[in-house]
Amino acid sequence: MSELGQATGSALDALAAELPEQIVLRDPDLLVSYAHDESRFTGRHLPGLVLLPRSTAEVSQCLAATHRLGLCVITRGAGSGLSGGANAVEGAVVLSTRRLNTILRIDPVDKVAVVQPGVITSALREAVFEHALLYPPDPGSVEICSIGGNVATNAGGMCCVKYGVTGDFVLALEVVLADGRVLRTGTGTVKGVAGYDLTSLFVGSEGTLGVITEVTLRLVPAPDPPTTLLATFPDAGAAGDAVQSILSTGATPSMLELLDRTTLAAIEQLSPLGFDDTVGAVLLVQSDSSTAAADVTAFEEACRGSSAIDTVTSSDPEESAMLLHARRLALPALERLGDWLLDDVCVPRSRIVDLIARVERVATAEGLTIGVFGHAGDGNMHPTVIYDDADPASRAAAVRAFDAMTGAALELGGTITGEHGVGRLKAAWLERELDPVARDVQLAVRRALDPSARLNPGAVLAPSVESGVV
Amino acid sequence: MSELGQATGSALDALAAELPEQIVLRDPDLLVSYAHDESRFTGRHLPGLVLLPRSTAEVSQCLAATHRLGLCVITRGAGSGLSGGANAVEGAVVLSTRRLNTILRIDPVDKVAVVQPGVITSALREAVFEHALLYPPDPGSVEICSIGGNVATNAGGMCCVKYGVTGDFVLALEVVLADGRVLRTGTGTVKGVAGYDLTSLFVGSEGTLGVITEVTLRLVPAPDPPTTLLATFPDAGAAGDAVQSILSTGATPSMLELLDRTTLAAIEQLSPLGFDDTVGAVLLVQSDSSTAAADVTAFEEACRGSSAIDTVTSSDPEESAMLLHARRLALPALERLGDWLLDDVCVPRSRIVDLIARVERVATAEGLTIGVFGHAGDGNMHPTVIYDDADPASRAAAVRAFDAMTGAALELGGTITGEHGVGRLKAAWLERELDPVARDVQLAVRRALDPSARLNPGAVLAPSVESGVV
């Protein structure tokens, strides 16, 4: 053990000694499941120690102690992230929000929910639905991810084309700062301009500015069951045109998803839905407004005007679910083809077709299967590389393809991450996206909130941590 | 002249010498109109010098020079603010964005406008309307205020109940930092989580973090002409109940404004509209959705269910304008009664009735007329004190009333400012609204962006500057 290691070991001992034993894990067999999230190709280490605080007061106690002892802290929600933002670094303390999992309040009159960060997103959605309310954000991992993680990454989902991202629903936060102090941001009012918007600063900050311990969320009246449209197209270009047309109808879709030819082929292998070779892309579109039937008719006309091969619509909930089946199978179908590396890039909506063309060129150049699906209405796509993790050459090709696609998004006027966050996977990429002034300002803000640089070191704006072994 | 005064004078001379003479004003007769905004009871001084840069490059040149010379800079938009945020302090440089007044681009496909900060808000609204697009924010000063000022204060207006505030439309910013460096925030995409949300940090920062030199704004399709409802009530309590009922119909009003008895009496004096003594409050409600007629019928039923005396609706644009006439007359009518001091407080929507009751008690206690009107749908009201500026006792009573109303908003779970900003008028109040941790974090962020504390000193989070004389 190095000297640094010894010092860290002593500090971890001291930390364990002063905190309630019920919230401290040190058994290596248990620590291993806190080493990393669901990302690939990101550095990860066994945590030095895991903390499972049960209250804001305990989080504050934990951070006051880690601050005093000079220990780094990685905050972990449900661990479903895909960017390595919750991966442990050597000697670090992982603080899990798992036990902070209470829905504190649902107010149907003010349409507000107050929740702890460990609440699973689908559990909140179900709870507010009983009050005829909707919490719209619906990341793909909605059944397993937590609200705290959603806020920390500003998570999205299929709802965003109409409702916006997680941050659009966050009214106020309680945050424990790096030194254990407890901060409250936001107001209990709809409008308010009293001081800087610290709430938005913490949204998407990926555990680098503090530990979110309470979230006040805006809710909306639950809409009627949606009407659904499935449209097939000869190629992605036609589908991309249809996306523009749909968004120009004046009606607002509540979902606008695209599946490309590669993804459709994978789906056909898993569960034949009858898409033949003439189908090069599919759009899935919904409206949940009070004029849903008329909206979907307008969307259907927009698709037909953009060379759609065929369209099917339904307002029946069961039939709608069947039409969405293809979208749900996208990732499971691609997963069956091999190991997968899922990218998350966002381009101006007018450049989706260019992005898909670039991905096809990358797939050809690297001899890899890359399926593209995602939130076309936001320009936010998930090109997914299929590779063989046991084959070093395939791994290298996957990384090259991933880098080429992320670079293509930047060249198309887009961003390296639409909704998954930077984490450790794209920390080096963020250095490329930001100009030097933006980089300096981001780091200055980070230093202002965490002067000792103890929170999630190596994540977001920092050189990528070298890959470690657990 | 004090030593400080001499040093500042030399620095101002040096500044004038190194900048293009066409952008420097030093004639005291001209400086006087840059001394303050439209606020009352706020410190104001003659600026040391006024800068009128014509480009981002010139703004950068100005700030690099003021930074080097140790001069403070007050950024000024159109000067229509009501919180003293643009008031000069002694020896400061006032930088006006007046000449940065070009609409750089309107993109009807991506529904985006890129504008310089000096563009007048109504000019932008008219320009995008020619493309069948709407830029929703509509502060009361829409005809004279500028986009840069709107962003700096996160201005609102009557649209917010449906569309949100200025910040909800800001996608990206160009900002010149305190030392002259040029920062770009945001992305050209709908979603993006690459780094901290610096855009939201600058929105509402009132010139304390940098000078905004370019704004990328989201636009929406222009809605149909609205359908309007005017409902009269026996008292504010009934109108407040109706606000809750209207917001529970499921339909979204595009306007939801309230006028209280005092405001209505003032309007009757200016331009008799036939509201007799039985009318204690009026609501003005609009819907601009595709189901406007049905929406307004639902709103009308909600009002009738909350003891409305009478209701009138119209979908005819001219008749709608006539119904809105009373709202437009609110401030002009109150202004005719004497000098006025307009407050801007925001409470949870469920507390509007309590706020109005508290204001009535304050008016009685101080023997003053105080009219209440504003954006009931947001809980954002503008209690307006009528006083005699020439009478010291009346001035003192006005200040006491203002303080009592602002305090009442805090006690009701609200905030000291819904849309006008803190400026110098409420800097001391912000110290009361924020807890010590929030105050520390706000100041840490400010120091991170402006380490030498040269930008808008005394505004927002700082003791109020003593009132000076111009």
Side-chain angles (χ1 to χ4, degrees), chain A residues 92-158:
Chain A
V93 172
V94 168
L95 187 152
S96 166
T97 59
R98 188 159 63 77
R99 287 182 179 163
L100 297 164
N101 63 350
T102 304
I103 297 173
L104 300 170
R105 188 161 69 86
I106 296 172
D107 182 335
V109 176
D110 279 345
K111 300 189 183 70
V112 159
V114 182
V115 306
Q116 290 188 308
V119 170
I120 300 300
T121 308
S122 63
L124 175 65
R125 286 167 56 94
E126 284 157 23
V128 305
F129 193 70
E130 288 178 22
H131 299 271
L133 293 168
L134 174 68
Y135 171 66
D138 58 347
S141 53
V142 63
E143 301 291 341
I144 54 167
C145 63
S146 65
I147 294 292
N150 293 172
V151 174
T153 56
N154 198 9
M158 297 204 276

Side-chain angles (χ1 to χ4, degrees), chain B residues 101-106 113-116 119 184 213-215:
Chain B
N101 64 350
T102 303
I103 297 174
L104 299 170
R105 188 161 68 85
I106 296 171
V114 182
V115 305
Q116 290 188 307
V119 169
R184 284 201 160 265
T213 48
E214 191 185 290
V215 186

Side-chain angles (χ1 to χ4, degrees), chain B residues 441-468:
Chain B
V441 172
Q442 297 262 349
L443 287 173
V445 169
R446 186 166 180 168
R447 272 196 303 272
L449 273 287
D450 178 23
S452 311
R454 303 283 184 207
L455 298 181
N456 216 359
V460 188
L461 199 59
S464 293
V465 173
E466 286 302 303
S467 182

Side-chain angles (χ1 to χ4, degrees), chain A residues 400-414:
Chain A
R400 282 196 305 271
F402 189 85
D403 280 351
M405 297 185 309
T406 307
L410 281 184
E411 286 167 29
L412 293 169

Side-chain angles (χ1 to χ4, degrees), chain A residues 296-370:
Chain A
V296 167
T297 300
F299 301 155
E300 197 171 13
E301 281 167 22
C303 289
R304 292 198 177 281
S306 302
S307 312
I309 299 170
D310 204 3
T311 59
V312 194
T313 67
S314 178
S315 60
D316 177 76
E318 278 185 41
E319 277 180 23
S320 277
M322 280 174 59
L323 294 179
L324 288 191
H325 192 50
R327 174 63 182 87
R328 292 222 186 77
L329 288 180
L331 190 54
L334 288 166
E335 279 179 357
R336 279 169 55 102
L337 304 182
D339 297 299
W340 53 278
L341 179 60
L342 187 144
D343 203 352
D344 164 49
V345 290
C346 194
V347 294
R349 286 188 285 233
S350 52
R351 309 307 296 273
I352 295 168
V353 177
D354 300 310
L355 179 71
I356 294 175
R358 293 282 295 263
V359 171
E360 284 173 1
R361 291 216 296 276
V362 170
T364 303
E366 297 292 352
L368 290 166
T369 296
I370 309 180

